[in-house]
Amino acid sequence: LKLGWPFVVGLAAAVLVAAAGSGLLAVPALRVSGDYLVIASLGFQVIIFNVFMNWESITGGPAGLPGIPRPGFLGWTVESPLAYAVLSCVMAAAAYVFVRRLVGSPFGRVLRAIREDEVVTQALGKNVTGVKVVVFMVSGGVAATAGSLFAHYTTYINPYFFTLEESILILSVVIVGGAGNLTGSIVGAVLLTLLPQALRLVELPEALAANLRQIIYAALLAGFMFFRPQGILPERTLTLAVKD
């Protein structure tokens, strides 16, 4: 926006900055694990949100950044919602292929080993901390592609677009879709995007409609956590049958 860079260069810069920032946050965050790691990451978001609110020379503070240009390629500007939907689907597919190949690689197998037994993985000579930092950086870079698309689509952003509720929504996508399953994440994203729209079709008293829809939405999420914590599409596991 301020340097006049084309969309592709800005996107690459967003990925690099997000990856570097994620790597820096990973160093203190990795002192904890499991649920504590999730809480720590959410705590960092609160800190970053307040930085966005007060660093007005860069972020515009509460006023945000208006006038973000539409993405363009070789003189062609993406203007219509249909063209933007196609661009988003292409980039989502590229991200899916990239992550699937990463998960299926030897690096991905190390990730699974760390999840199952970190001590054994470290005893086998793997750099557990280094692998975790790389995962943080890759996650930040992939998320930055979505953030760049969002900013260029709305042509305006402010810190209120990046609140704790957004992170909870992303965590909900993983919980509902199924952790450890990339297809499950897609299913969860589609479901949680369409569900609020479907609830608009439910005939509810106008004065209570918004609150009741939120209650129904939250109840469905809580139901998944209690009755199907593995999500809609849980991770596939191999079982071995032992014969006498």
Side-chain angles (χ1 to χ4, degrees), residues 49 52-53 59-64 157-163:
F49 172 80
F52 287 169
M53 287 290 289
T59 66
I157 57 172
N158 67 47
Y160 294 104
F161 288 174
F162 309 100
T163 60

Side-chain angles (χ1 to χ4, degrees), residues 208-225:
L208 301 176
N211 291 332
L212 287 177
R213 290 192 187 103
Q214 292 297 321
I215 291 173
I216 294 172
Y217 183 57
L220 289 172
L221 292 178
F224 266 100
M225 296 181 68

